Amino acid sequence: MASSSSSSSSITSFVFPFLFLFLLLSPSSNADSLKACNFDGIYQLGDSISDTGNLIRENPNTPFSHLPYGQTFFNSTPTGRCSNGLLIIDYFALDARLPLVNPYLNKDALTRHGINFAVAGSTALSSELLSKKKISSLLTNSSLDLQLDWMFSHFNSICYDQKDCDEKLKNALFLVGEIGANDYNYALLQGKTIEEVKEMVPEVVQAIKNAVERVISYGATRVVVSGNFPIGCFPISLTVFQTNNTTDYDEYDEYHCLKSLNALASYHNDQIKQVIEVLKKENLHTVIVYGDYYNAFLWILRRASMLGFDNGSLQKSCCGIGGDYNFDLKRTCGNNGVGVCPNPDKVISWDGVHLTQKAYKYIADWLILNISPKLNCTL
């Protein structure tokens, strides 16, 4: 048996690096911080923007399970995060002075400070509903309704009754989304027109509204409901839907983003904001806040050079190959022969679909400053 001094030394050597990273990555102390709420847990629903390891437990063969994913922060041990490092949810946890939130399907992980139910590739609508629209869910069938069932099962296992759950969850932060983008992306990639996809928006938004109502029924008192990114700015969209004239002002905006796809995202976001207002009136004792991913992303795009990003690579993938945007749908990041840029911190897009750790850090900072005052917490 090891001596107590050697055991203590081992524990210190294990804990110190994580403590150092915690201090290094946490935003500086100020009133506009999640720590003002004194949250004791975070519960996340969503897709690849938030997944910290559920998909790779469903499918260990996904590219997200190996390098170069996770190379910046996690070195040789990728966790299933769809980036080179940390995600928005990770920076939220750090800002709230909580441990990083473990994935639900990691049954060995600690769940005392919340659980992440998000699954990369998931949709707001069930795979059955999408199938009726002749749309295939490409990566997973763990849609929003299944994630909510997981959440219910978890709370059912830790709560004696509703009163006990209310007590346990009164100081937790619930994050619903971002989700819904995959419903639209899959539809577009499988040949649906913008107008056909636009007809899906009310149904997708209703599914998200139902999800918020369910988490409130479980005992949530503070909920952030996030909208979609400007998907017309991403390398995957710019590549797949590229026009013959890439300077056409009818098709592209001043940031060289596709207007039609950003209009679709804005339409979705406007409906999400309307739903939030309805939910607020129906749930007077619950704080519900909009997470504005769209404007957080545009804030980075407008100030890219000041934030240290390379203006020549703003809409190119760091991990990718070929074409105007360093992206090929048939040869994506993680596949043989697909390279990685020398400095991901200079690039916004990691793999054409997801962002780099640095971009997520700035988006998280923007969101925290935006939502913290609305959560009605005090230091």
Side-chain angles (χ1 to χ4, degrees):
M1 180 179 292
S3 68
S4 60
S5 60
S6 63
S7 297
S8 176
S9 175
S10 297
I11 292 170
T12 301
S13 64
F14 177 78
V15 170
F16 180 76
F18 288 93
L19 179 61
F20 173 75
L21 286 167
F22 178 86
L23 295 172
L24 178 68
L25 293 167
S26 297
S28 58
S29 174
N30 57 66
D32 294 326
S33 169
L34 296 177
K35 76 176 191 297
C37 290
N38 199 28
F39 290 123
D40 55 21
I42 298 177
Y43 296 93
Q44 171 85 59
L45 299 163
D47 57 22
S48 58
I49 305 301
S50 310
D51 185 0
T52 55
N54 284 314
L55 181 66
I56 67 167
R57 286 170 172 82
E58 286 187 349
N59 177 14
N61 296 320
T62 178
F64 310 137
S65 66
H66 58 77
L67 294 175
Y69 285 92
Q71 68 172 31
T72 298
F73 186 82
F74 300 100
N75 298 319
S76 61
T77 54
T79 59
R81 288 167 171 80
C82 300
S83 179
N84 61 309
L86 297 172
L87 308 178
I88 296 168
I89 174 65
D90 297 316
Y91 289 111
F92 272 38
L94 289 167
D95 188 73
R97 302 300 191 265
L98 292 171
L100 302 186
V101 185
N102 288 312
Y104 172 74
L105 294 181
N106 181 0
K107 298 304 181 182
D108 296 325
L110 297 176
T111 61
R112 181 180 174 187
H113 297 289
I115 300 183
N116 191 342
F117 300 96
V119 184
S122 65
T123 52
L125 301 179
S126 69
S127 54
E128 290 79 14
L129 278 173
L130 290 173
S131 181
K132 290 178 181 177
K133 302 176 188 296
K134 295 182 168 37
I135 301 167
S136 298
S137 186
L138 301 179
L139 292 179
T140 179
N141 290 323
S142 299
S143 54
L144 187 55
D145 55 350
L146 180 60
Q147 293 177 32
L148 287 159
D149 289 344
W150 289 347
M151 183 180 280
F152 175 79
S153 295
H154 172 69
F155 292 148
N156 204 38
S157 71
I158 66 168
C159 301
Y160 296 113
D161 52 28
Q162 185 61 52
K163 184 178 179 181
D164 185 45
C165 244
D166 291 342
E167 183 64 26
K168 283 186 166 81
L169 299 176
K170 67 180 182 181
N171 294 320
L173 174 64
F174 283 75
L175 303 173
V176 179
E178 177 273 340
I179 196 160
N182 286 327
D183 300 67
Y184 309 139
N185 289 336
Y186 294 160
L188 290 166
L189 290 171
Q190 292 168 44
K192 301 290 186 184
T193 66
I194 290 281
E195 285 307 312
E196 287 175 319
V197 175
K198 191 174 180 181
E199 292 175 2
M200 294 170 57
V201 172
E203 196 172 358
V204 168
V205 171
Q206 182 62 47
I208 295 170
K209 180 176 185 283
N210 293 344
V212 177
E213 290 172 335
R214 279 186 70 176
V215 301
I216 292 172
S217 75
Y218 297 157
T221 61
R222 285 183 173 82
V223 185
V224 176
V225 187
S226 296
N228 286 342
F229 284 118
I231 55 177
C233 300
F234 283 41
I236 182 174
S237 302
L238 291 164
T239 299
V240 174
F241 304 105
Q242 187 171 5
T243 66
N244 292 329
N245 181 2
T246 58
T247 59
D248 188 342
Y249 291 110
D250 290 332
E251 298 289 339
Y252 295 89
D253 65 17
E254 66 270 33
Y255 304 111
H256 193 72
C257 302
L258 286 162
K259 290 181 179 178
S260 58
L261 292 178
N262 281 359
L264 174 64
S266 294
Y267 179 61
H268 169 95
N269 293 342
D270 288 343
Q271 292 211 17
I272 289 289
K273 286 183 271 191
Q274 291 173 25
V275 159
I276 288 174
E277 292 308 309
V278 172
L279 287 167
K280 283 180 177 178
K281 292 174 182 176
E282 294 174 349
N283 301 275
L284 297 178
H285 299 294
T286 305
V287 177
I288 308 169
V289 178
Y290 176 63
D292 195 349
Y293 279 33
Y294 193 101
N295 280 307
F297 184 90
L298 290 184
W299 179 84
I300 291 178
L301 209 54
R302 293 184 187 114
R303 294 161 180 81
S305 58
M306 293 182 349
L307 298 173
F309 295 106
D310 178 6
N311 277 330
S313 302
L314 292 186
Q315 289 166 320
K316 293 183 178 180
S317 301
C318 171
C319 181
I321 190 169
D324 293 337
Y325 307 100
N326 199 38
F327 180 84
D328 185 338
L329 196 58
K330 295 179 180 178
R331 297 180 68 196
T332 54
C333 182
N335 287 298
N336 290 336
V338 178
V340 179
C341 65
N343 188 354
D345 282 352
K346 293 284 186 183
V347 184
I348 292 174
S349 176
W350 166 242
D351 60 4
V353 182
H354 312 99
L355 308 186
T356 58
Q357 172 176 279
K358 184 176 179 183
Y360 280 138
K361 170 69 165 64
Y362 281 123
I363 285 175
D365 287 348
W366 190 97
L367 289 168
I368 289 166
L369 286 171
N370 183 263
I371 69 176
S372 292
K374 302 171 187 175
L375 289 170
N376 299 339
C377 303
T378 55
L379 283 169

